[in-house]
Amino acid sequence: MKRLLFYIVLILLAFLIQNNILAVSPLIDATPNLLLIITFCFGFIRGKKEGMLLGFFCGLLMDICYGESIGYYALIYLIIGYVNGTLGQLFYTEFLNMPLLLCILSDLIYNLYIYVFGFLLYGRLNLSVYVANVILPEVVYTAILTLVLYKLFLKLNTRLEELEKRSAKRFV
């Protein structure tokens, strides 16, 4: 129950920060994708089931607020959560180099998905402009934030696991 409440608060807080504070910041032109960081990090740390669930609800929130149809963002976030959850079972979660690489790849895949289904299918073929003005700045800022947030999420996950173990011992 504590984990569920934690996830709900974390998703809502990240959504509000990403779309209200960071989106209007005069310091940066691109907005780091905090919802993608949450999906990626907890998928990588906790596994594909939680990665998919968090990804689906992060994407659903984006669909409700910004999408033209339900499922557009939910699908890509769900896939990213699943893939990173699967890869999290293969690699050590304590080292920072692999999560950083996977976060960059996740952000690139996310932005290419947006380009293909949001621009390319409508005849807007300026991929180089989209890469230079949107994809690269977002990937850089998301990667920088991942360096900070991944370690924080790893510590929070450890703390939540300890609380869950203590709570389970009380009932036994």
Side-chain angles (χ1 to χ4, degrees), residues 1-2 163-172:
M1 187 65 178
K2 290 178 186 178
L163 289 174
E164 289 169 352
K165 286 179 185 176
R166 274 194 238 145
S167 177
K169 286 182 181 178
R170 276 191 248 157
F171 290 114
V172 175

Side-chain angles (χ1 to χ4, degrees), residues 54-65 70-71 73-75 77:
L54 283 171
F56 177 75
F57 286 111
C58 286
L60 190 62
L61 186 59
M62 290 290 291
D63 283 331
I64 290 169
C65 294
I70 301 294
Y73 290 105
L75 176 65
Y77 277 98

Side-chain angles (χ1 to χ4, degrees), residues 5 34 47 56 129 134 157 171-172:
L5 184 62
L34 296 177
F56 177 75
V129 172
V134 177
N157 180 61
F171 290 114
V172 175

Side-chain angles (χ1 to χ4, degrees), residues 66-81:
Y66 298 112
E68 294 176 12
S69 61
I70 301 294
Y72 179 74
Y73 290 105
L75 176 65
I76 189 63
Y77 277 98
L78 182 134
I79 291 170
I80 288 171

Side-chain angles (χ1 to χ4, degrees), residues 25-145:
S25 174
L27 300 175
I28 55 176
D29 291 334
T31 304
N33 196 337
L34 296 177
L35 294 175
L36 185 77
I37 293 173
I38 289 171
T39 300
F40 150 75
C41 286
F42 284 102
F44 190 72
I45 294 169
R46 297 283 300 169
K48 57 187 170 186
K49 183 179 174 184
E50 287 191 36
M52 287 174 54
L53 287 172
L54 283 171
F56 177 75
F57 286 111
C58 286
L60 190 62
L61 186 59
M62 290 290 291
D63 283 331
I64 290 169
C65 294
Y66 298 112
E68 294 176 12
S69 61
I70 301 294
Y72 179 74
Y73 290 105
L75 176 65
I76 189 63
Y77 277 98
L78 182 134
I79 291 170
I80 288 171
Y82 176 79
V83 169
N84 285 304
T86 303
L87 292 172
Q89 295 170 347
L90 301 174
F91 299 104
Y92 292 110
T93 57
E94 289 80 22
F95 300 122
L96 195 57
N97 53 0
M98 189 53 131
L100 183 62
L101 176 67
L102 290 175
C103 184
I104 290 170
L105 288 174
S106 296
D107 204 9
L108 286 172
I109 291 168
Y110 169 80
N111 280 301
L112 288 175
Y113 171 86
I114 299 297
Y115 174 75
V116 168
F117 294 108
F119 297 105
L120 186 65
L121 292 178
Y122 294 105
R124 300 182 199 140
L125 304 174
N126 294 333
L127 179 62
S128 60
V129 172
Y130 187 71
V131 167
N133 294 332
V134 177
I135 294 177
L136 288 179
E138 182 180 317
V139 167
V140 168
Y141 291 131
T142 302
I144 291 171
L145 264 175

